[in-house]
Amino acid sequence: MKRNTIVTILRYLLVILFIYAATAKALNYKVFVADIAKSPLLGNLNNTILAPLVLGLEFLTAGLLQFKATVKPGFYLSSFLMLTFTLYLGTLYFFYTNIPCSCGGILGRMSYPIHISFNLLFTILSFAGTFLHMKPEGDRRIVKAV
Amino acid sequence: MKKNIIILLFILAGTLCFILLLIGKSDPERLVIDVPRRYNGIYASPEDTIRFKVTLNAIETDGNIIYGYANKEKILCRYDPESRKMDTLLHTRSFLSGILSGVDRDPATNTFYFFSANTNRIYLFHPQDSSRDSLDEGHTHLAGGEKCLTGTYFLIRSTDSATSLTSLKKADYIRHTDTTIYTFTHYHDGGISADGFFRKDLSSKRLFYIPYYNAEIIQYDEVNNKISKIITIDKTMPYNSTIPTEQGYTVSSKARMINITATTDSAHLFLLSNTSSKGKKEPSGTVIDVYSTVTGSYEYSLQFPYFEGYPVTLLKKSGDKLFVAFGNNILSYKIEYR
């Protein structure tokens, strides 16, 4: 399989994930905000800023991954978000007794070990996308000419 | 390649710092909700303190008379405030078998009902003549219940072994018939995450099923045969409170009990909540949220400090009085709405 094909598959897997996760949260926004407030890690933060920030970052990542010119920052942002979600959930699961999950849709119904494994898989895919992605042909030619 | 590694290492370090920052600011013991509670509009004035010899697990009232059941000692006792006399009505050790999942009193007949989960039986006790009896529905699995306000019906919680779904059923223990009133479709775990307790109000003829682990209280209007829901202010969803095991499901060690105990009057549900509002000192077992049973909405809250080192453990509303148990002490309060 061509390297570009793998990168495209990774991009669209991540786009689907981020759009699904963000839409599920947006559709049940009040519950999402309430769950953030209940989190022992996030309870002290201002959830009226945090909730739209998380949603905005998820939609932004999906947007960046869709355009060739912004795929690279999209992969970086995706790596950051997936790593943060994985570490957040892992920290809650292993060290805390009270772990409300703020994810909507099917993600919120997963058991915690499955959810953490799922997040870890997508973190690895984001990292892989970062390494596998190459600059577009046109850009490389310009670099060579300079 | 080298640039990618540097940037990803930077992301990794940044994420770790962010999580460590969150851990530093966290408060793991609090179950925080984002709803400010209203402490105005309802007032509780202390009236009397009654000290029982045992710690009670259930209380029922008949006017000012208090009946209490102690599960550890397996006794049903009665306190009369007129004579200040306390007596033991029943020793259930020889009478009851199985795990007790609820105690209820029918004021019309002054009969006590003891619901036994693993024997599928309801045990009856009549204090007037100290007679005892038991009822068996046969095929229906019984996981707790409450005597309905009419006929020989009981509102029970039952789990279907084939689907592992839990339902609320109106069961006639004399004619051996039952009708499903409500099914908890979220749960396929044998009813573990739907675990909860029953309450009823005689004047409004409503029965309530209150789950321990989530916000969805089921209200059953017996007269109109209607189901409605009261959603508690924490809005906890009914997921992630159980984990699969080889034998089925078990309660996750991470699941947090939201609703501890409750009582009702003609228009209100008084619910002892295990949550605290953001930025407030509301330790576990001190906050009672009051909901309107007519509109289903949150109205007020009451906060009771610990009494002799104990948080609130039981509640019972009777007329304008609210009986609140703290360990083996019961304090009665006069409730006023202003």
Side-chain angles (χ1 to χ4, degrees):
Chain A
M1 201 186 281
K2 275 185 167 181
R3 189 173 175 146
N4 275 348
T5 316
I6 297 171
V7 172
T8 308
I9 292 170
L10 292 181
R11 274 170 62 197
Y12 285 103
L13 273 176
L14 288 165
V15 167
I16 292 166
L17 174 73
F18 280 111
I19 288 184
Y20 176 76
T23 309
K25 288 182 186 110
L27 287 174
N28 224 343
Y29 189 70
K30 279 187 179 173
V31 174
F32 171 55
V33 175
D35 278 343
I36 284 183
K38 275 188 262 176
S39 166
L41 282 180
L42 307 174
N44 289 327
L45 302 181
N46 187 341
N47 53 6
T48 52
I49 295 171
L50 192 62
L53 182 70
V54 172
L55 275 187
L57 283 175
E58 285 185 337
F59 279 123
L60 177 67
T61 312
L64 289 175
L65 285 168
Q66 284 189 64
F67 301 103
K68 279 192 177 172
T70 54
V71 169
K72 199 74 175 180
F75 274 125
Y76 285 138
L77 194 54
S78 166
S79 302
F80 170 71
L81 283 181
M82 288 314 303
L83 192 63
T84 307
F85 293 154
T86 309
L87 284 175
Y88 166 74
L89 215 55
T91 307
L92 284 181
Y93 183 71
F94 291 109
F95 303 109
Y96 288 77
T97 52
N98 159 37
I99 42 173
C101 177
S102 319
C103 295
I106 198 164
L107 301 175
R109 298 182 195 206
M110 286 178 180
S111 69
Y112 288 103
I114 291 174
H115 200 155
I116 293 166
S117 311
F118 180 87
N119 280 5
L120 196 60
L121 173 72
F122 274 87
T123 308
I124 293 166
L125 293 183
S126 302
F127 275 60
T130 312
F131 282 109
L132 291 173
H133 177 258
M134 289 186 296
K135 282 179 182 172
E137 288 296 311
D139 286 6
R140 274 192 285 169
R141 274 200 295 274
I142 293 162
V143 172
K144 275 177 190 169
V146 170
Chain B
M1 182 76 170
K2 203 176 167 185
K3 188 184 159 195
N4 278 339
I5 293 172
I6 292 168
I7 292 175
L8 288 176
L9 281 175
F10 184 74
I11 288 173
L12 185 67
T15 313
L16 279 172
C17 288
F18 178 60
I19 295 290
L20 287 173
L21 197 73
L22 290 181
I23 292 170
K25 286 190 161 199
S26 72
D27 193 351
E29 294 307 314
R30 295 181 75 202
L31 189 63
V32 185
I33 57 167
D34 196 29
V35 180
R37 288 186 158 102
R38 283 195 292 270
Y39 286 103
N40 292 326
I42 187 166
Y43 299 88
S45 329
E47 286 195 330
D48 198 6
T49 306
I50 305 136
R51 190 183 293 272
F52 278 77
K53 288 171 190 158
V54 289
T55 300
L56 301 176
N57 301 93
I59 48 175
E60 292 287 343
T61 53
D62 181 9
N64 286 335
I65 295 173
I66 303 171
Y67 296 94
Y69 181 73
N71 202 30
K72 192 179 166 194
E73 291 77 11
K74 306 240 177 275
I75 55 166
L76 176 70
C77 43
R78 176 177 54 191
Y79 174 77
D80 186 346
E82 298 286 314
S83 59
R84 297 241 157 213
K85 202 182 145 195
M86 201 171 297
D87 54 349
T88 301
L89 295 176
L90 174 72
H91 288 273
T92 59
R93 209 174 290 276
S94 57
F95 167 49
L96 277 172
S97 57
I99 299 164
L100 194 69
S101 61
V103 181
D104 182 29
R105 178 180 169 271
D106 182 11
T109 57
N110 194 21
T111 305
F112 283 88
Y113 299 92
F114 298 89
F115 296 83
S116 169
N118 53 342
T119 61
N120 273 351
R121 297 185 82 84
I122 300 171
Y123 295 88
L124 281 69
F125 172 66
H126 308 279
Q128 304 90 313
D129 54 4
S130 296
S131 63
R132 302 156 192 199
D133 200 354
S134 77
L135 298 168
D136 184 4
E137 221 279 293
H139 63 280
T140 309
H141 174 252
L142 173 72
E146 187 92 352
K147 173 79 176 64
C148 283
L149 298 144
T150 52
T152 50
Y153 293 104
F154 290 84
L155 186 66
I156 62 162
R157 181 164 70 89
S158 178
T159 301
D160 184 273
S161 53
T163 61
S164 288
L165 281 174
T166 294
S167 298
L168 297 180
K169 290 172 183 278
K170 193 173 180 179
D172 188 328
Y173 271 67
I174 303 297
R175 296 179 186 86
H176 298 288
T177 56
D178 64 64
T179 350
T180 299
I181 302 285
Y182 181 81
T183 300
F184 296 92
T185 49
H186 290 305
Y187 319 100
H188 282 273
D189 57 10
I192 296 170
S193 54
D195 198 8
F197 54 95
F198 291 87
R199 290 291 182 267
K200 72 175 164 219
D201 175 59
L202 299 172
S203 50
S204 63
K205 294 198 166 22
R206 288 192 174 106
L207 289 102
F208 301 85
Y209 182 70
I210 301 156
Y212 288 122
Y213 301 107
N214 68 76
E216 286 185 0
I217 295 172
I218 311 296
Q219 183 174 218
Y220 175 55
D221 178 345
E222 197 179 331
V223 177
N224 299 306
N225 198 30
K226 263 188 179 174
I227 284 282
S228 57
K229 285 183 184 177
I230 296 173
I231 308 293
T232 57
I233 51 175
D234 54 279
K235 294 188 170 56
T236 305
M237 299 302 284
Y239 313 123
N240 283 325
S241 49
T242 56
I243 48 167
T245 63
E246 282 178 13
Q247 284 80 34
Y249 281 82
T250 186
V251 176
S252 162
S253 60
K254 317 292 177 189
R256 182 64 70 93
M257 197 180 273
I258 305 292
N259 304 315
I260 304 170
T261 187
T263 186
T264 60
D265 66 15
S266 60
H268 299 98
L269 175 74
F270 293 72
L271 182 67
L272 181 65
S273 172
N274 196 27
T275 64
S276 57
S277 307
K278 207 170 181 178
K280 299 277 179 189
K281 272 195 174 178
E282 294 170 340
S284 178
T286 62
V287 178
I288 293 160
D289 294 325
V290 184
Y291 295 87
S292 162
T293 54
V294 180
T295 62
S297 57
Y298 165 74
E299 292 200 332
Y300 328 96
S301 293
L302 287 163
Q303 189 170 18
F304 294 100
Y306 278 32
F307 184 79
E308 294 189 356
Y310 289 98
V312 176
T313 49
L314 296 166
L315 298 170
K316 185 69 191 176
K317 186 89 188 327
S318 178
D320 63 350
K321 279 186 181 171
L322 179 67
F323 294 95
V324 184
F326 300 82
N328 61 335
N329 292 294
I330 293 182
L331 273 68
S332 71
Y333 294 87
K334 188 178 180 186
I335 297 295
E336 285 175 283
Y337 301 95
R338 287 178 213 156

